[in-house]
Amino acid sequence: MLNLSNSKNLTRIGVFYDGNYFNHVSNYYYYFHPSKSRISISGLHGFIKNQIALRENTTEQFCHIVDAHYFKSRLNAKDTSQKNNQLYYDRVFDDILMSEGIVTHYLPIKNAGFNFRQEKSIDVWLALEAFELTLYKKFDILVLLASDGDYVPLIRKLNTLSTRVMIISWDFEYKDENEVLRATRTSHELLQEVSYPIAMHDIIENGLKNNDPILERLFVPANRERKREITRQATLLSNEFKTSQILSLHNGYGFIKYAPNNLYFHHSSVENVDFNDLLQNDTIQFKIALNEKGQEVAIEINLIEEPVAE
């Protein structure tokens, strides 16, 4: 039970997610980063409390996330109905957010032509809610997961309330499935305005190299994510293993030589080696299943080690 005499030492934290940005970052770690796993919301909240405790010279016991909000634009009901299982996966993620006590705020995208404008509308909505809730709930620290310089006016307003601001942001670049270089960068002006800038890309890389348990908990366990992906995409047709060679490899997926049509496979279906260790023309064993569209795909993929010539 909390000692009321120490309640004045509580650090009250409000967390605000730019959901479009967070989704982009999570997809990067799942599809393009060696971790091949999504960011864990619970692990991220644990990391936030840890970082605030270090910077505020207190303990995690007295660092409480008292409010958390997630803002995102998303497809409207009509467009969602045209995408297989999209509504289901939206609800799965909603369940995850609710289990962590996060309040969701969605703005439907009317059509592709309004996508940019809708994202800006979400940014404005987040800023207004963040400022208003800080006034009413008296956050000691507001944590913002974002990278856009449009949030600079919000941070300047929060500074007038003596609320410290922590920015959680990532800088990274990668080549997409079409070999086009993509880069994500955080606004320099945004970083200059906040009390606690947290460069997640550097912290994660260093932490994973040193097997830091706090950093490892930032990611959904690979086996759990893998089972979700296999369940999502495939229904096993037979327990019989087939043997063939890898035709091509891309960022997070590949194709197997198999007549009459080549078979698609996802990185999460590779079992006895890391996906990044596979090479074109490697010999593999696999099973065949039907995905959600009724197409044949390969699962339970194992690399067959070639004998070394003497």
Side-chain angles (χ1 to χ4, degrees):
M1 184 174 179
L2 180 65
N3 185 342
L4 294 179
S5 65
N6 291 327
S7 62
K8 64 180 180 180
N9 296 320
L10 289 178
T11 301
R12 297 167 52 81
I13 306 165
V15 180
F16 289 79
Y17 288 82
D18 180 331
N20 295 314
Y21 174 68
F22 180 76
N23 184 63
H24 169 68
V25 170
S26 188
N27 283 340
Y28 162 71
Y29 281 101
Y30 186 52
Y31 292 111
F32 303 105
H33 188 266
S35 64
K36 298 300 179 186
S37 186
R38 294 195 181 278
I39 296 174
S40 163
I41 298 294
S42 61
L44 182 57
H45 284 191
F47 170 81
I48 287 171
K49 290 190 286 186
N50 173 266
Q51 292 295 304
I52 289 176
L54 291 173
R55 286 162 173 77
E56 294 281 304
N57 193 28
T58 184
T59 64
E60 291 183 44
Q61 178 185 3
F62 293 103
C63 294
H64 288 255
I65 296 176
V66 298
D67 210 9
H69 295 261
Y70 182 90
F71 295 78
K72 188 178 185 298
S73 58
R74 71 178 185 188
L75 295 175
N76 59 34
K78 180 180 178 181
D79 292 337
T80 299
S81 68
Q82 298 173 3
K83 292 184 175 290
N84 291 328
N85 291 331
Q86 184 62 51
L87 185 59
Y88 169 77
Y89 294 109
D90 284 346
R91 292 299 177 267
V92 169
F93 188 60
D94 282 347
D95 289 346
I96 294 172
L97 294 174
M98 285 189 290
S99 70
E100 296 300 323
I102 299 174
V103 180
T104 56
H105 307 262
Y106 293 115
L107 189 64
I109 299 174
K110 295 180 180 179
N111 58 57
F114 287 99
N115 188 32
F116 178 78
R117 193 176 76 182
Q118 294 294 111
E119 289 190 8
K120 290 302 178 185
S121 297
I122 281 289
D123 294 349
V124 173
W125 190 9
L126 187 159
L128 291 172
E129 289 288 331
F131 184 72
E132 183 178 42
L133 288 170
T134 301
L135 280 173
Y136 286 125
K137 298 193 175 184
K138 308 296 183 184
F139 302 135
D140 296 301
I141 297 178
L142 185 139
V143 179
L144 181 63
L145 287 93
S147 65
D148 198 328
D150 288 349
Y151 291 114
V152 168
L154 165 65
I155 294 170
R156 289 174 177 167
K157 285 288 187 181
L158 293 173
N159 288 339
T160 67
L161 302 177
S162 298
T163 299
R164 279 93 66 203
V165 179
M166 173 178 282
I167 186 78
I168 304 286
S169 65
W170 285 261
D171 288 355
F172 54 82
E173 62 182 35
Y174 62 94
K175 288 186 177 180
D176 65 16
E177 60 273 11
N178 298 315
E179 296 300 311
V180 176
L181 185 65
R182 305 289 186 182
T184 296
R185 296 286 182 265
T186 306
S187 163
H188 181 67
E189 188 178 11
L190 187 70
L191 295 173
Q192 287 184 315
E193 294 290 339
V194 302
S195 304
Y196 302 131
I198 305 294
M200 293 298 291
H201 46 283
D202 291 333
I203 292 174
I204 287 175
E205 297 309 318
N206 293 331
L208 293 180
K209 289 178 183 177
N210 297 320
N211 298 316
D212 186 330
I214 293 177
L215 272 299
E216 290 178 346
R217 286 195 292 271
L218 273 175
F219 296 97
V220 175
N223 60 340
R224 187 193 313 167
E225 193 67 33
R226 177 180 172 277
K227 289 178 181 178
R228 286 178 181 170
E229 181 64 26
I230 291 176
T231 299
R232 179 187 74 82
Q233 71 175 15
T235 301
L236 189 64
L237 291 179
S238 169
N239 281 319
E240 179 184 2
F241 275 100
K242 307 291 185 179
T243 302
S244 187
Q245 290 77 42
I246 293 177
L247 175 67
S248 62
L249 294 164
H250 306 275
N251 288 319
Y253 67 96
F255 290 92
I256 297 170
K257 299 175 184 177
Y258 193 78
N261 298 311
N262 300 318
L263 292 176
Y264 167 93
F265 71 97
H266 188 264
H267 71 81
S268 61
S269 293
V270 180
E271 296 193 333
N272 68 339
V273 295
D274 188 276
F275 175 84
N276 294 313
D277 292 331
L278 293 176
L279 298 172
Q280 187 176 353
N281 295 321
D282 274 349
T283 300
I284 54 173
Q285 284 188 330
F286 56 92
K287 294 180 181 179
I288 299 177
L290 289 179
N291 68 8
E292 59 190 4
K293 298 180 181 179
Q295 299 167 332
E296 290 189 347
V297 296
I299 64 171
E300 297 185 29
I301 296 162
N302 288 275
L303 175 67
I304 297 177
E305 298 290 343
E306 299 289 343
V308 179
E310 297 182 354

